[in-house]
């Protein structure tokens, strides 16, 4: 049995706004084993970033962790005092963000920033920290690390900045690295370099990784297990191969079929999920996905399904499950079309106008 | 060098099968205070877009694809070269003629939050192009706005609402309705779905495909997401540092890429399938795109190319864009097709 590194249990994080209480994270449970890569996927506003920020106790105002436990090697992060949480953030966990430019200090040299990350947490002596900077930058494959350490962030390109951010994240040898959309702002060839780097680091250093993203392909490439979130809840979880081969929640199924694949010729229309994600200050009753679900049944509207086991290590929160949906219903779900009547109405008058003004 | 269309015109009345020709077009942005230095954003581009097709234009940031789009829609003047739209040279047009020509080419932008005036109602936003071109009477315009809203899947009674009341996907629909208002034949979509969440992105992609079929539109579809481009386009052009390096049919370019940059670009994109991903090894390019102020000599890609002969022909001679590989495929590489 793998050893559990982080265990989140029934986490509720809410934002207390003038418009009411927003339940951003609404009873999330998940775990990460030592050395494992976990993908957390979902669309904007599903609560994936707030879950990560809750783990670091960095939820911005007016948000608050309302209940639940976050156990890191058995210690509850929610109950830590200020010194303990500082130590936890510095030495056990690190987080890298989407936009490396806004997370680096523009007036401090790259090398000094990485050094500061080490000396601030007193894990290394100033001398050790100095020599580690070059080592870290070399490890994340920044060429001519010794000279580049003296550069300022604006002298680095986007990909190089993200490497520097990763170097800083790894500075104190954390056992968990949380990466929030680490490659979204990068060009594809640079994205491939960073993905490769993260794979290598996970292998070489055994750092567990929590990858937060909306990009299913990135999860397929980097992760061993995946958690799918919708409206502040986990709706499906399981090993990556299993989830991609046989997703059971209609939301997971739709997410996988709403993106075209670069390695396949165009076959089907893309599955588009109708409507919009719910307002989390006033979520729908029953299953949170039911207003958008193409396979909804009456029970979904009144009663929320629990996370039930649907396969080996795979759980899903659904009354229907994709394996019970008929092929006909799947085909219907793929159809969505513009209003042909409206198109006809539009064509007629414009033809007149076209001849009037000439070309 | 342009390839002559291989199909002879079907009938004498048939319109030119090529709706847009870009011939040896340059756009250099001078850098103030650096005597003579310039950002060579577009640096000698030849391109044809056929009537009714969707042409995908891909490349990484800074390759010049958005600048090219702005030259094609005459939003920027060219430094040199010709752009011919429906048989007329738009690079020479001014004033009223240009305005009338622009009616046929519309643009859909990336950021639906920045491209709609927050102080105008949705009805006014969509009606504005009709007003500008004096199309129809007041009543007819309002009717058309309602039809347009219905067409893009929005409630036709929303005309009095403001952009902030809509989500990103809905705003993009408003942008599409505005582009369609004056009945264009050619639409440039500049990263039109990149800012949207995946489920919403699929809605807009499906809508764009339906509209193309319904109104026989020609698209220039610019994006950095090659999977989306492959899904939406009939033909694809790959751009690198101000030049087109390869064009081909959407399946040929993926199945038989001829240019090493195309090959690297395609292999960089992860596939949503863990079983496939385990066996895939991306071709990792060295470094990043060089500066367009001072592009490398010879083939611009030679500094990052895995098969370049340097020193040698690749760093000395610029390869022309010429037929390689499949029918209708062009590549600019001295060693096209080699791995």
């Amino acid at each position: 049995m793998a050893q559990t590194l982080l265990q989140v249990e029934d986490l509720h994080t809410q934002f207390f706004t003038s418009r009411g209480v927003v339940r951003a994270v609404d009873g999330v449970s998940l775990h990460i084993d030592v050395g494992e890569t976990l993908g957390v996927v979902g669309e904007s506003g599903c609560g994936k970033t707030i879950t990560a920020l809750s783990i670091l106790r960095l939820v911005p105002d007016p948000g608050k962790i309302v209940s639940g436990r976050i156990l890191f090697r058995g210690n509850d992060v929610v109950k830590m005092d200020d010194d303990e949480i500082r130590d936890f953030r510095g030495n056990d966990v690190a987080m890298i963000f989407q936009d490396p430019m806004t997370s680096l200090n523009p007036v401090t040299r790259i090398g000094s920033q990485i050094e500061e990350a080490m000396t601030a947490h007193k894990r290394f002596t100033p001398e050790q920290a100095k020599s580690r900077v070059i080592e870290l930058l070399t490890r994340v494959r920044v060429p001519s690390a010794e000279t580049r350490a003296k550069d300022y962030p604006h002298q680095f390109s986007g990909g190089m900045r993200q490497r520097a951010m990763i170097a800083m994240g790894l500075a104190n040898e954390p056992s968990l690295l949380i990466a929030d959309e680490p490659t979204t702002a990068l060009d594809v060839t640079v994205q491939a370099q960073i993905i490769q780097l993260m794979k290598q680091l996970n292998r070489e250093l055994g750092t567990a990784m929590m990858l937060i993203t909306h990009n299913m392909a990135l999860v397929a490439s980097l992760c061993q297990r995946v958690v799918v979130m919708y409206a502040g809840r986990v709706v499906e979880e399981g090993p990556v191969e299993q989830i991609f081969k046989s997703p059971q929640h209609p939301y997971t199924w739709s997410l996988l079929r709403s993106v075209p694949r670069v390695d396949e010729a165009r076959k089907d229309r893309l599955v588009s999920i109708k409507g919009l994600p719910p307002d989390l200050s006033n979520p729908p009753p029953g299953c949170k996905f039911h207003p958008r679900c193409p396979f909804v049944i009456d029970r979904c509207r009144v009663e929320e399904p629990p996370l039930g086991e649907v396969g080996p290590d795979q759980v899903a929160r659904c009354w229907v499950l994709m394996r019970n949906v008929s092929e006909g219903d799947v085909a219907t779900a793929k159809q969505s079309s513009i209003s042909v009547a409206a198109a006809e109405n539009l064509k007629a008058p414009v033809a007149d106008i076209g001849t009037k003004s000439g070309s | 060098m342009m390839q002559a269309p291989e199909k002879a015109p079907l009938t004498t009345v048939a319109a030119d099968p090529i709706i847009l020709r870009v011939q040896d077009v340059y756009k250099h942005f001078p850098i103030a205070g650096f005597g003579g230095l310039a950002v060579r954003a577009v640096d000698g581009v030849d391109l044809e877009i056929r009537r009714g097709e969707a042409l995908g234009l891909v490349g990484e940031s800074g390759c010049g694809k958005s600048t090219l789009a702005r030259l094609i829609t005459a939003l920027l003047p060219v430094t040199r070269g010709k752009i011919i739209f429906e048989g007329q040279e738009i690079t020479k047009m001014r004033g009223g003629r240009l305005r009338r020509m622009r009616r046929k080419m519309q643009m859909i932008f990336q950021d639906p939050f920045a491209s709609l005036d927050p102080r105008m109602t949705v009805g006014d936003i969509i009606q504005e192009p009709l007003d500008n071109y004096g199309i129809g009477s007041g009543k007819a315009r309002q009717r058309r706005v309602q039809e347009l809203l219905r067409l893009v899947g929005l409630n036709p009674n929303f005309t009095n609402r403001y952009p902030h009341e809509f989500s990103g996907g809905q705003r993009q629909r408003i942008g599409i309705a505005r582009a369609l208002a004056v009945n264009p034949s050619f639409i440039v979509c500049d990263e039109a779905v990149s800012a949207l969440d995946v489920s919403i992105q699929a809605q807009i992609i499906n809508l764009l495909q339906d509209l193309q079929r319904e109104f026989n539109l020609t698209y220039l579809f610019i994006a950095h997401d090659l999977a989306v481009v492959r899904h939406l386009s009939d033909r694809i052009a790959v751009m690198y540092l101000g030049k087109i390096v390869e064009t081909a049919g959407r399946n040929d370019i993926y199945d038989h890429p001829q240019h090493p940059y195309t090959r690297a670009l395609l292999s960089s994109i992860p596939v949503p399938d863990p079983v496939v991903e385990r066996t895939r090894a991306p071709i990792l390019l060295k470094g990043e795109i060089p500066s367009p102020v001072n592009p490398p000599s010879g083939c611009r890609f030679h500094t990052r190319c895995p098969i370049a002969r340097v020193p040698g022909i690749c760093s000395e001679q610029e390869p022309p864009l010429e037929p390689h590989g499949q029918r209708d495929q062009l590549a600019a590489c001295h060693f096209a097709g080699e791995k």
Side-chain angles (χ1 to χ4, degrees):
Chain A
M1 231 358 233
Q3 203 189 336
T4 305
L5 180 66
L6 178 85
Q7 176 103 37
V8 175
E9 288 174 4
D10 199 25
L11 178 70
H12 290 260
T13 302
Q14 301 178 351
F15 286 78
F16 299 88
T17 70
S18 53
R19 289 208 203 155
V21 178
V22 177
R23 298 159 171 271
V25 178
D26 201 21
V28 164
S29 299
L30 55 83
H31 73 278
I32 301 172
D33 292 339
V34 172
E36 189 189 31
T37 48
L38 174 76
V40 178
V41 297
E43 297 176 90
S44 330
C46 72
K48 54 193 194 303
T49 296
I50 299 300
T51 303
L53 292 175
S54 300
I55 292 170
L56 286 161
R57 288 243 318 255
L58 285 175
V59 181
D61 276 340
K64 253 184 80 178
I65 297 175
V66 176
S67 65
R69 300 204 298 169
I70 300 168
L71 301 173
F72 187 85
R73 294 192 202 279
N75 298 321
D76 193 345
V77 176
V78 179
K79 295 209 177 79
M80 285 180 181
D81 65 28
D82 285 359
D83 284 345
E84 286 169 324
I85 194 79
R86 246 178 83 77
D87 184 54
F88 166 72
R89 283 181 201 147
N91 294 319
D92 296 322
V93 196
M95 184 155 177
I96 54 175
F97 298 91
Q98 173 171 350
D99 184 353
M101 195 59 208
T102 53
S103 356
L104 288 167
N105 183 342
V107 296
T108 307
R109 294 175 200 277
I110 295 279
S112 315
Q113 297 194 43
I114 299 175
E115 206 179 308
E116 197 186 335
M118 287 183 273
T119 49
H121 292 287
K122 302 190 178 68
R123 175 106 166 229
F124 298 96
T125 64
E127 291 73 38
Q128 283 173 322
K130 253 198 178 66
S131 67
R132 262 180 69 78
V133 167
I134 310 297
E135 189 190 316
L136 284 161
L137 285 175
T138 314
R139 168 144 264 157
V140 296
R141 281 119 190 135
V142 171
S144 34
E146 231 148 304
T147 38
R148 296 309 302 264
K150 299 191 190 96
D151 282 351
Y152 289 94
H154 75 268
Q155 293 169 291
F156 271 43
S157 66
M160 283 298 153
R161 278 182 215 138
Q162 199 55 294
R163 284 167 200 265
M165 278 303 297
I166 295 175
M168 198 183 300
L170 296 171
N172 289 311
E173 299 170 332
S175 31
L176 175 64
L177 184 65
I178 301 178
D180 190 356
E181 303 277 12
T183 63
T184 308
L186 306 174
D187 269 316
V188 281
T189 60
V190 181
Q191 172 178 307
Q193 294 168 352
I194 299 290
I195 295 173
Q196 201 71 2
L197 173 67
M198 290 175 68
K199 273 187 191 167
Q200 279 166 349
L201 293 173
N202 173 252
R203 246 193 335 258
E204 289 166 12
L205 306 174
T207 313
M209 221 172 318
M210 179 170 165
L211 173 72
I212 298 171
T213 183
H214 66 278
N215 186 339
M216 294 303 261
L218 206 56
V219 170
S221 167
L222 263 172
C223 299
Q224 292 153 2
R225 218 151 45 77
V226 56
V227 164
V228 183
M229 285 187 69
Y230 186 79
R233 291 179 171 263
V234 174
V235 295
E236 186 155 11
E237 184 193 334
V240 162
E241 289 81 7
Q242 189 71 20
I243 296 285
F244 278 73
K245 198 177 83 194
S246 159
Q248 289 305 315
H249 197 286
Y251 180 64
T252 315
W253 178 85
S254 312
L255 267 190
L256 285 167
R257 275 155 194 75
S258 63
V259 285
R261 285 176 62 150
V262 78
D263 63 334
E264 273 181 7
R266 174 162 81 203
K267 287 185 298 204
D268 289 337
R269 282 173 78 79
L270 298 175
V271 169
S272 65
I273 307 175
K274 64 182 178 194
L276 299 168
D279 174 2
L280 294 182
S281 62
N282 184 21
C287 171
K288 303 275 173 287
F289 187 58
H290 90 256
R292 306 179 73 194
C293 183
F295 313 116
V296 63
I297 56 172
D298 287 343
R299 191 175 185 183
C300 308
R301 297 189 176 94
V302 286
E303 195 181 347
E304 180 160 33
L307 262 182
E309 197 160 330
V310 294
D313 298 320
Q314 186 180 2
V315 290
R317 190 187 289 282
C318 181
W319 294 124
V320 179
L321 300 178
M322 287 310 294
R323 60 176 171 234
N324 302 321
V325 175
S326 74
E327 273 178 36
D329 286 348
V330 167
T332 318
K334 287 182 182 165
Q335 289 314 315
S336 69
S337 199
I338 59 163
S339 151
V340 177
E344 289 307 321
N345 285 346
L346 261 191
K347 278 177 182 171
V350 167
D352 300 342
I353 298 161
T355 50
K356 222 184 285 168
S357 67
S359 60
Chain B
M1 239 200 290
M2 300 307 301
Q3 228 189 1
E6 296 196 3
K7 264 191 213 155
L10 293 172
T11 58
T12 47
V13 290
D16 185 355
I18 308 292
I19 191 169
L20 183 96
R21 289 189 165 85
V22 176
Q23 294 177 347
D24 202 26
V25 161
Y26 290 78
K27 181 66 191 179
H28 291 182
F29 295 99
I31 307 174
F34 286 83
L37 278 188
V39 176
R40 297 155 72 165
V42 173
D43 212 19
V45 162
D46 288 306
L47 193 67
E48 283 182 346
I49 302 176
R50 298 166 196 170
R51 195 176 295 278
E53 81 171 346
L55 178 75
L57 180 62
V58 300
E60 298 177 271
S61 14
C63 73
K65 54 191 195 299
S66 290
T67 303
L68 183 58
R70 277 160 181 76
L71 296 176
I72 286 174
T73 44
L75 293 173
L76 272 178
V78 299
T79 305
R80 185 145 65 85
K82 275 187 194 176
I83 295 170
I84 298 159
F85 179 73
E86 299 207 321
Q88 300 186 51
E89 192 178 338
I90 55 170
T91 29
K92 289 234 177 80
M93 283 184 193
R94 297 281 177 276
R97 276 186 73 208
L98 182 60
R99 250 173 64 85
R100 279 193 296 280
M101 190 50 90
R102 276 215 185 105
R103 211 188 101 181
K104 297 190 184 163
M105 35 168 81
Q106 292 290 312
M107 207 157 170
I108 301 168
F109 297 94
Q110 168 171 9
D111 186 351
F113 293 82
S115 54
L116 303 179
D117 188 333
R119 288 170 301 181
M120 285 171 74
T121 65
V122 166
D124 289 342
I125 287 173
I126 300 173
Q127 198 179 314
E128 194 178 34
L130 297 171
D131 296 341
N132 284 346
Y133 286 106
I135 296 171
S137 64
K139 268 262 164 58
R141 283 178 206 170
Q142 279 169 20
R143 237 188 354 259
R144 184 160 175 86
V145 168
Q146 294 199 335
E147 289 298 342
L148 282 160
L149 281 171
R150 199 170 295 139
L151 183 75
V152 297
L154 293 173
N155 186 332
N157 301 322
F158 283 177
T159 47
N160 288 324
R161 299 203 180 182
Y162 288 89
H164 75 265
E165 296 174 68
F166 293 89
S167 69
Q170 289 171 327
R171 286 181 214 207
Q172 203 56 301
R173 290 173 191 270
I174 296 167
I176 293 171
R178 175 178 61 184
L180 288 172
V182 291
N183 196 31
S185 48
F186 177 56
I187 295 186
V188 176
C189 308
D190 190 0
E191 300 279 9
V193 299
S194 318
L196 306 173
D197 257 322
V198 283
S199 71
I200 311 298
Q201 181 176 311
Q203 296 175 0
I204 301 296
I205 289 173
N206 287 343
L207 175 66
L208 287 171
Q209 284 185 319
D210 290 342
L211 292 171
Q212 185 185 22
R213 209 179 32 243
E214 201 60 44
F215 295 102
N216 191 27
L217 297 170
T218 305
Y219 284 148
L220 174 62
F221 199 84
I222 299 172
H224 66 275
D225 184 332
L226 278 92
V228 169
V229 169
R230 180 175 195 186
H231 185 82
L232 261 167
S233 311
D234 301 303
R235 265 185 337 127
I236 291 169
V238 183
M239 215 171 161
Y240 185 77
L241 215 55
K243 297 206 86 128
I244 305 279
V245 297
E246 183 159 6
T247 64
R250 67 160 181 265
N251 291 336
D252 287 336
I253 209 153
Y254 288 88
D255 296 339
H256 317 280
Q258 296 296 308
H259 198 287
Y261 179 63
T262 311
R263 194 172 293 123
L265 202 57
L266 292 173
S267 81
S268 302
I269 304 151
V271 168
D273 184 340
V275 181
V276 175
E277 270 302 315
R278 239 179 278 126
T279 60
R280 266 168 51 105
I283 302 167
L284 292 181
L285 293 178
K286 296 169 270 182
E288 291 169 42
I289 298 195
S291 161
V293 175
N294 186 16
S297 62
C299 169
R300 288 153 195 243
F301 185 56
H302 84 257
T303 51
R304 301 175 75 197
C305 180
I307 63 165
R309 318 275 156 99
V310 179
I313 187 167
C314 296
S315 57
E316 286 158 14
Q317 262 184 49
E318 183 147 19
L321 187 63
E322 52 189 22
H324 284 287
Q326 309 296 304
R327 187 177 160 269
D328 216 11
Q329 185 164 16
L330 306 173
C333 177
H334 293 300
F335 301 98
E338 286 185 27
K339 284 184 190 169

